[in-house]
Amino acid sequence: MNSFGAWIVGLWLTYTVVLIVLSRYAKKKAESGGGDSFWVGGRSFKPWMVFVCITGLFSGSSFISVLELSYKVGISAAWYGIAEMVHVLIIALLLIANLRRLKMVTVSGLIGDKFGRLALGVSGAITAFTFPMWSVATALAFASGLHVYTSLSLPVSIAITSITLLIFLQSGGMWSIVVTQTANSLAFAAMFIVGGIAFFIEPGFDGLVQLAAVKPAMFSATNAGLQVIIAWFATFLINVFVAQAAFQMALSCRTPEEGRKGLLMAFGANVFFIVFGVLFGLSAAIVVPGGARGMIAIPQYLAQVLPAPLVGVFFLGIWAAALGWGAPCQFSGATSLGRDVMGAINPSLSDQRKVTYTKYALAALTVEMILLGLMRSENASWWNVLAWTLRNGSTFAPVLVALAWPLATRRGAIAALVGGFISGLTWYALGGWDPVKFFYNIHPVFIGMTFNILLMVLVSMAEKAGQWKFKFDQSSGRKTLGIVSTAALVIFVITALTQFNWLFQKGLIGLNLFLIVTAIFVNVMVFIVPIKSETAAAEQAA
């Protein structure tokens, strides 16, 4: 172990011990309020608590992804972070109040409340399976630093990172997360300062000018690939309705208004994570060009321009990002497994037993996280996209119809959950699991989402054949929504018929197909209503 490794390990261990001590306070808070305190902080968070939680969750994750991607594709990596910002803004403005009224804890719990125990168990299992994929994406960043600066192998570094996350979360649930995220916010600030120092030492603004001259593609807004960028936005926009970890944090606040305020504060703070992520990634591309792994090139770059203590501080920020994203994801996934899946198996379980099973689930998901890191360590951001493809492709339609379409059935929900998951996973496999080249040039996220919606609608309508009717006489708001979605449907169909080759070459045919199905989905929810509700309304009027 060289001096860089000694500083990184020393600061990391010190920071970790401090957080463990602070977690004792979190444990007392969690134990004082039972299951509700463990899962959603007793719904007593203040806006600043939501702010640090959401900032650590999404901004930390975006920073790691943008940092890695910008080393390879330049400034177009910023679109990943911008897509994340937009989705936080939508949650804050449109969803948080309604979800608070439902007293939601997990997305799988919402699905289970509407569609029964089997749907609860299936959605909880899918959610639990996918969350470690998000966790490992940021854990790989810190593990790469340990690997470069110490004698530890990458697998051992991944295991150490994963087990440390487990230690935190066994302490105090959601209270442990807010304590950790507060400390992480300070570590982020220190990391940005150190990274800025490194940039001005080398390469500076002159280096960026030279890079633009030698590799102008690095400054192209679409260098990451149009289909990939669109997939980022589509994935985050869809995630608005199923962002379980974010919901769990924001809904821990005392009122919906305070939760919204914390989300808006986090929205603004994300700008710094995007700008610095791109800047540091480009700097590494200039000083250490040609590397196969961006997360390996970053520590190599820093070692060339900074003394060991400052490198240690920078990677303390990377560790904070791993904690900020990985810890909530592991906790939220474990909540689905321990609370929802086990509750589906045995509905008579007490909240205390569910808390115990949640802690067991944390251990199980830690093992999964380590295995995933060993399977693919060269592309951290790919794990994020795969997780969104599988989780969102399974739960999107069931969540929407649970809130807005009374004709949805249990069999429809199960078909949508399983079909969306299998179709997205299969499409990735058919494309050789490549992060940018897809089977028939269609991103798997659009395949999963399309099957998810179609199965939800078709199975439900078939099961309730004869129990529904078209109703075009709607309220002005619903009628406007229906007209807009119908117009969009016509435009997307005409585009597909007249511009198919162009759409295929640009990798947009999957998006166009998904938009057509989504427009049909909106029309179904607006214009197809149960016959019995119409009859009841007529009888009441009479």
Side-chain angles (χ1 to χ4, degrees):
M1 181 186 298
N2 56 28
S3 60
F4 293 98
W7 273 97
I8 289 177
V9 171
L11 289 175
W12 165 56
L13 290 177
T14 301
Y15 187 73
T16 302
V17 170
V18 170
L19 288 181
I20 289 174
V21 172
L22 291 176
S23 291
R24 288 182 175 273
Y25 165 77
K27 186 174 183 179
K28 291 179 181 178
K29 292 285 289 185
E31 290 176 344
S32 66
D36 194 48
S37 184
F38 187 81
W39 293 313
V40 289
R43 301 198 189 277
S44 59
F45 279 15
K46 299 176 182 178
W48 71 265
M49 294 178 177
V50 175
F51 161 66
V52 296
C53 283
I54 297 296
T55 298
L57 175 69
F58 285 122
S59 299
S61 169
S62 292
F63 175 76
I64 296 298
S65 296
V66 171
L67 180 66
E68 178 190 40
L69 289 166
S70 60
Y71 176 81
K72 301 175 182 178
V73 301
I75 65 169
S76 61
W79 290 117
Y80 186 97
I82 295 171
E84 179 270 317
M85 285 182 65
V86 171
H87 117 286
V88 169
L89 181 63
I90 294 173
I91 291 172
L93 297 179
L94 301 180
L95 288 184
I96 197 67
N98 290 329
L99 292 174
R100 179 58 183 268
R101 280 195 292 270
L102 294 172
K103 295 184 178 180
M104 195 190 82
V105 176
T106 62
V107 167
S108 47
L110 176 64
I111 293 172
D113 289 342
K114 174 68 175 180
F115 300 113
R117 287 171 57 188
L118 182 57
L120 173 65
V122 172
S123 59
I126 290 173
T127 301
F129 174 71
T130 53
F131 267 102
M133 297 179 186
W134 282 305
S135 303
V136 78
T138 47
L140 282 169
F142 182 75
S144 297
L146 284 180
H147 172 61
V148 169
Y149 293 130
T150 69
S151 58
L152 296 173
S153 66
L154 188 57
V156 172
S157 300
I158 293 171
I160 291 173
T161 304
S162 303
I163 292 170
T164 306
L165 291 176
L166 173 64
I167 293 172
F168 283 119
L169 294 173
Q170 288 286 354
S171 299
M174 187 58 68
W175 283 106
S176 178
I177 289 174
V178 74
V179 170
T180 301
Q181 297 290 45
T182 302
N184 288 343
S185 297
L186 300 176
F188 291 149
M191 176 181 66
F192 292 154
I193 293 172
V194 170
I197 293 172
F199 167 75
F200 283 109
I201 293 175
E202 191 176 356
F205 290 109
D206 290 340
L208 294 179
V209 173
Q210 293 174 7
L211 180 64
V214 176
K215 293 183 177 181
M218 294 290 280
F219 292 85
S220 167
T222 59
N223 192 38
L226 183 60
Q227 180 176 195
V228 173
I229 295 171
I230 290 175
W232 291 341
F233 274 91
T235 299
F236 273 113
L237 290 175
I238 292 163
N239 196 62
V240 163
F241 300 97
V242 290
Q244 176 169 303
F247 295 160
Q248 211 167 342
M249 291 174 173
L251 295 173
S252 296
C253 221
R254 294 176 296 190
T255 66
E257 291 72 25
E258 290 188 341
R260 179 181 294 114
K261 184 177 180 181
L263 285 165
L264 293 175
M265 292 165 64
F267 166 80
N270 196 38
V271 173
F272 295 98
F273 290 81
I274 297 171
V275 171
F276 284 119
V278 170
L279 186 65
F280 300 158
L282 289 175
S283 298
I286 295 169
V287 178
V288 189
R293 299 181 179 181
M295 297 317 305
I296 297 296
I298 298 298
Q300 292 174 340
Y301 154 63
L302 293 172
Q304 292 188 33
V305 299
L306 292 176
L310 291 183
V311 172
V313 172
F314 185 91
F315 272 90
L316 189 61
I318 296 293
W319 171 237
L323 286 176
W325 173 252
C329 285
Q330 288 295 90
F331 176 68
S332 198
T335 301
S336 282
L337 185 57
R339 181 181 184 273
D340 297 337
V341 175
M342 296 308 298
I345 295 172
N346 183 2
S348 65
L349 285 176
S350 66
D351 277 354
Q352 192 57 47
R353 289 296 297 168
K354 289 178 181 178
V355 168
T356 300
Y357 281 123
T358 298
K359 293 181 178 181
Y360 292 154
L362 281 168
L365 296 188
T366 298
V367 174
E368 180 193 344
M369 181 179 168
I370 294 171
L371 293 175
L372 294 176
L374 298 180
M375 289 170 60
R376 189 168 196 166
S377 60
E378 75 279 6
N379 198 321
S381 59
W382 179 82
W383 283 113
N384 280 335
V385 178
L386 176 62
W388 271 307
T389 298
L390 300 180
R391 198 280 303 271
N392 295 1
S394 302
T395 59
F396 174 68
V399 167
L400 280 189
V401 297
L403 297 172
W405 195 47
L407 282 166
T409 66
R410 295 186 177 189
R411 289 189 179 92
I414 297 299
L417 288 165
V418 176
F421 181 87
I422 292 177
S423 60
L425 190 66
T426 301
W427 204 261
Y428 251 124
L430 291 173
W433 307 103
D434 195 284
V436 293
K437 297 178 181 178
F438 310 112
F439 191 57
Y440 280 109
N441 207 23
I442 299 175
H443 197 290
V445 71
F446 299 125
I447 297 298
M449 296 297 305
T450 298
F451 272 89
N452 180 244
I453 293 172
L454 288 176
L455 288 169
M456 184 76 247
V457 172
L458 294 176
V459 173
S460 294
M461 292 182 67
E463 188 177 353
K464 289 194 172 182
Q467 301 179 42
W468 51 266
K469 62 177 288 186
F470 288 96
K471 181 187 178 185
F472 296 102
D473 183 18
Q474 299 278 354
S475 64
S476 59
R478 289 176 65 86
K479 187 179 294 185
T480 300
L481 178 61
I483 292 172
V484 171
S485 63
T486 301
L489 174 61
V490 173
I491 293 172
F492 295 140
V493 170
I494 293 175
T495 302
L497 293 175
T498 60
Q499 303 294 326
F500 182 86
N501 289 335
W502 181 83
L503 290 170
F504 182 81
Q505 292 172 2
K506 295 295 184 180
L508 300 178
I509 193 66
L511 172 63
N512 195 79
L513 173 63
F514 170 66
L515 292 175
I516 290 173
V517 172
T518 300
I520 295 172
F521 186 38
V522 173
N523 274 296
V524 166
M525 289 194 293
V526 170
F527 294 120
I528 295 182
V529 299
I531 289 178
K532 61 180 181 181
S533 66
E534 291 292 290
T535 303
E539 292 176 350
Q540 185 176 3

